[in-house]
Each structure stands twice: as structure tokens, then as C-alpha cells.
Amino acid sequence: MTVTVLLFASYADALGAASLDVELPRDSTVRDLVSAIRARPGADRLPATPLVAVNLQYAASDRIVLDGDEVALIPPVAGG
Amino acid sequence: MTVTVLLFASYADALGAASLDVELPRDSTVRDLVSAIRARPGADRLPATPLVAVNLQYAASDRIVLDGDEVALIPPVAGG
Amino acid sequence: MTPLATVARTPIDPLALLRRVASPANGAVLLFLGAVRQVNEGRAVTGIDYAAYEQMAASELEAIVAEGASRFGTADVAVEHRLGELAVEEISVAIAVGHPHRDAAYALSRWIIEELKRRVPIWKREHYTDGTREWVDPAGRPSAELVP
Amino acid sequence: MTPLATVARTPIDPLALLRRVASPANGAVLLFLGAVRQVNEGRAVTGIDYAAYEQMAASELEAIVAEGASRFGTADVAVEHRLGELAVEEISVAIAVGHPHRDAAYALSRWIIEELKRRVPIWKREHYTDGTREWVDPAGRPSAELVP
């Protein structure tokens, strides 16, 4: 399946895009998704285990990514 | 000398006046002043050692009261 | 701007205090408002009148504001206490502080309200729905603390 | 009134938030304002742009406000975070809370700003006088904390 991953702020700058389409086998976890992204050019500027949100909530690395999930990488937040 | 003592809030209510003239010998202290006031009708509703301000500042009980000092009894404060 | 401490009979304008503490150096601004509550310790309140030893209240408030500004390292402090008859929901006291950092802004704001309640000679008389009025005596205040 | 949490591109109106949390039950109202500082960690700043994962920022902020209101026992909470380009001194975030007692008002206000900074997906890029721009990365944030 194809998962679209939203990117923001410094991560969007590092990967040169506001989103990435990532090809993943079924039953892949958040951890697998991050590994796939780490192969992309510029991803070396990301931390080893970036925060991931699935459907607007912070997700654990063993969470299964389902077709249709809204997935995003979350750089260290700096609101306020 | 005659010292005019300002009264406020519950103390003014207790003594039935916004100020009292108190006759004191020279070199009297704040403590002496309080003793003199305690003889007045209604003063039994005051605490044994009410706070006293002299010239707009809280004063210790051994402070000498001078002619011309502005003296006030200060009930427990309740601002805010 | 120079710290401001006022005791006044006119309504408090919180926005004026906020403007007073604004500065490009401040990452944090905090405004505390004390207001007349409808219920205090279980009794229905219709209003409060605030009385003061006005000259001393002004000088104590100025001393608190100056000491707070110096302790916490900012000149952006503005405090106003209202006197007279206040209805429920009216603002009795406003404390505005500006500081580069929020930790200090919260600490300074808190320090000022506690000092104000501890030592500024202001008294309040609550008016109750049954028509009675009573001076509020904050229980257990150790008066000796205030003597030098 | 029901708690309010907003992420918006328009300037924040602090007075509107204050009005929102006013209630005859509240003896204390606290307004926290975060603003753009001219100097941050020694560098001269000309402005900041705030970006967000807008939908998630809104839902995280709503969750914080709801949790804070419930923990501290008041519905009078209103929070607004600004997005887009802000000049020095402009307000980036406003947190208004009303509570019967000041202890809880201070604690709730503080709790909300800390939670907001910990978990709402908003990012800021500082603009410096030399024309450069940099995303602010709050050092040492342990990201694992945010995972359920």
C-alpha cells in the first residue's frame, strides 16, 4: 500500500517536500515506516526515532499503519 | 502630648470613631499608646496587640511615639 | 517603563495595565485580576466595599512593586487596587507583569499578590443578600510578622 | 462558558479571551500572553513565523484545555495560538483562565502553557537581523514521552 506522510518545519526542509509517498507492505508498523523514510535523501538530518502521529495522535513505534491512516512526522515542537 | 490615632474598618466600628485623641507622657512607646487605647469603651473588641503604623510604616511596640507622628491602628488587612 | 502602583476609586482598565508592561524584551506577560465573587465561604455576596488607609496603602503598594521589580529583574510591573463599592464580578485588583521569561513572570505575579494581601492596609466589607455587612477578617493572620 | 481552544492566523484579542472566562463564581482571572522577543539566546530577532500541523494542533489544544478544565474544576478556560508571520511584541499565544481561587488559577494557567509547549505540533522559525531564518529546536526534549 501507499502511505502519504506529512512533513513539517525542519523535517520538510530536510527532505525537500511537504509530504512523501511511501510504499509499505501490509501490517507494517510505524517503525517500518520510519526505516523506509530514512532511506530517502536528506533523511540523515532527522533523528533516529522521530515522533510520528497517526490520525492526529502521537503513535507508538509498534503501531500498525493501516491503509487510509493520516500519518505525519512531528519535529520537536516549539509552540508558545 | 496629644496623639491623634487613626482607626479603620472593624476597629473604627468597635471604638465608634475614625480617630481618637490620646493623651500620653513624653517618651511613651507604641505599647503605652495601645494600653491607653485599651481603656476606651469598645476597645475590648480589639486584639491584645493590634498592629500599629507610625508615619505610614508598621511600627514595633517599643518604638517611641513623637509629637507630630502620624499614628494608626491597623486591623488585619484583607486586600486583593 | 517605570513600575506603577495605584490605589484608586475608579474602575480598573486591564488593557491599560497590559499596555503599560508591553516591551520588545518581554517573552511573557501575565495579568492577574481579582474579582468580587458571588459566593464566599458559603454566603451569598451582593457586593464588597473596600476601605483603605489610603496614603499608607499607596506607599506599601509602591514598596512591593519596587521590591518585586528589583528582585525579579524587570521594570514592567503595574498594579492597581480599587477602593469603594464594588458589585459582583467587578475587578478589585489587577497585577500586570512583563518579563523576558515566563518562569519569572509567574513567580513575580504570585509574589506581588501574596505580599499585597499580607501587608497593604486595605479592608473589605462584604454585603450579603440578607442586607447585613461584615468586615472580612482573614483568620489566623499572625500580626507580629509585619513589625520590623 | 465551554472551554475554548483555537489556532488562528488572525491577531489575538486578549480582551475577548478575558470576557470569555468572566463569571460571578471567579475570584481570580489569569491571562498569560506569550510574545515575540527582540532577542533570543543572544541573537537579534526581527520576527517569527509559526507553522503548525493545523488539524492536530487544534485537537491537541482542545484536549489540553478539556483536561485542564476537568483537573482544576473550572469551565472558564480560553486558549488561542497564533500562526503565520509575527513581528516583535506581537502575541503568539494567550491563555485565559477563571477560577474561584487564585491558587488554582495560577496552577492551571501554568499547566496549560507547559502542556502546550510539550505537545502541540507548532513550530517557529526565527528571522534574524542578518536575513537568515532558523527553525527553533528546543534542546534536549525527550521525544519518547509523547508516545502513548
Side-chain angles (χ1 to χ4, degrees):
Chain A
M1 64 185 180
T2 305
V3 177
T4 301
V5 179
L6 305 175
L7 302 172
F8 299 95
S10 57
Y11 291 4
D13 290 354
L15 290 152
S19 71
L20 291 176
D21 285 340
V22 179
E23 202 57 40
L24 283 179
R26 299 236 153 238
D27 294 330
S28 292
T29 62
V30 162
R31 189 182 296 109
D32 300 328
L33 175 86
V34 169
S35 302
I37 292 168
R38 293 196 61 78
R40 301 293 179 103
D44 52 311
R45 290 162 60 193
L46 269 54
T49 54
L51 278 175
V52 176
V54 176
N55 299 333
L56 309 181
Q57 300 207 309
Y58 291 106
S61 58
D62 57 358
R63 177 181 174 132
I64 304 290
V65 179
L66 302 175
D67 205 11
D69 277 349
E70 177 167 324
V71 178
L73 293 196
I74 309 290
V77 304
Chain B
M1 65 184 180
T2 305
V3 176
T4 302
V5 179
L6 305 175
L7 301 172
F8 298 95
S10 57
Y11 290 5
D13 289 354
L15 289 153
S19 70
L20 292 176
D21 285 339
V22 180
E23 202 58 41
L24 284 179
R26 299 238 155 237
D27 295 329
S28 291
T29 62
V30 162
R31 189 182 297 109
D32 300 329
L33 176 87
V34 168
S35 301
I37 293 169
R38 294 196 62 78
R40 302 292 180 105
D44 53 310
R45 289 163 60 194
L46 269 53
T49 54
L51 277 175
V52 175
V54 176
N55 299 334
L56 309 181
Q57 300 205 308
Y58 291 105
S61 59
D62 56 358
R63 176 179 175 133
I64 305 290
V65 179
L66 302 175
D67 204 13
D69 276 349
E70 177 166 326
V71 179
L73 293 196
I74 310 289
V77 303
Chain C
M1 215 180 259
T2 12
L4 177 80
T6 318
V7 176
R9 295 192 170 267
T10 46
I12 292 173
D13 176 2
L15 215 54
L17 295 186
L18 281 179
R19 273 193 295 266
R20 172 116 194 162
V21 302
S23 151
N26 294 336
V29 167
L30 207 63
L31 175 70
F32 171 83
L33 302 175
V36 177
R37 276 195 297 158
Q38 201 160 35
V39 177
N40 193 24
E41 292 178 7
R43 292 186 75 177
V45 171
T46 58
I48 288 184
D49 58 283
Y50 282 90
Y53 181 8
E54 290 198 37
Q55 249 194 297
M56 182 173 168
S59 77
E60 281 292 314
L61 204 54
E62 276 164 32
I64 289 168
V65 163
E67 187 185 338
S70 146
R71 265 184 195 230
F72 291 85
T74 177
D76 298 319
V77 182
V79 180
E80 194 166 336
H81 202 297
R82 174 101 180 263
L83 299 180
E85 304 245 346
L86 275 74
V88 169
E89 258 192 87
E90 278 199 275
I91 299 168
S92 53
V93 60
I95 298 171
V97 305
H99 198 282
H101 304 289
R102 70 183 183 287
D103 267 350
Y106 277 98
L108 171 54
S109 174
R110 194 65 206 262
W111 184 85
I112 290 172
I113 184 64
E114 300 309 325
E115 282 296 290
L116 185 158
K117 285 179 171 276
R118 194 174 72 85
R119 64 180 169 118
V120 177
I122 292 178
W123 303 278
K124 62 181 171 192
R125 186 161 53 170
E126 290 182 339
H127 306 190
Y128 306 103
T129 41
D130 63 4
T132 59
R133 299 177 168 208
E134 256 174 50
W135 292 106
V136 175
D137 185 351
R141 180 179 304 271
S143 56
E145 268 180 27
L146 290 169
V147 171
Chain D
M1 216 180 257
T2 13
L4 177 80
T6 318
V7 176
R9 298 192 167 268
T10 45
I12 291 172
D13 176 2
L15 215 55
L17 295 187
L18 280 178
R19 272 194 295 265
R20 173 115 194 163
V21 302
S23 151
N26 294 335
V29 167
L30 207 63
L31 175 69
F32 171 84
L33 302 175
V36 177
R37 276 195 297 157
Q38 202 161 35
V39 177
N40 192 22
E41 293 178 5
R43 293 185 75 177
V45 171
T46 58
I48 288 185
D49 58 283
Y50 282 89
Y53 179 10
E54 290 197 36
Q55 248 194 297
M56 182 173 167
S59 78
E60 283 290 316
L61 205 54
E62 276 163 32
I64 289 169
V65 162
E67 188 185 337
S70 146
R71 265 185 196 229
F72 290 85
T74 177
D76 298 319
V77 182
V79 179
E80 193 165 337
H81 201 298
R82 175 102 180 263
L83 299 179
E85 304 244 345
L86 276 73
V88 169
E89 259 192 84
E90 278 199 274
I91 299 167
S92 53
V93 60
I95 298 170
V97 305
H99 198 282
H101 303 289
R102 69 183 184 287
D103 268 351
Y106 277 98
L108 172 54
S109 175
R110 194 65 206 263
W111 183 85
I112 290 172
I113 184 63
E114 300 308 325
E115 281 297 289
L116 185 158
K117 285 179 170 277
R118 194 174 72 84
R119 63 181 170 115
V120 178
I122 292 177
W123 303 278
K124 62 181 169 191
R125 186 162 53 170
E126 290 182 338
H127 305 188
Y128 305 103
T129 40
D130 63 5
T132 60
R133 298 177 168 207
E134 256 174 50
W135 292 106
V136 174
D137 184 350
R141 180 178 303 273
S143 57
E145 269 180 26
L146 291 169
V147 170

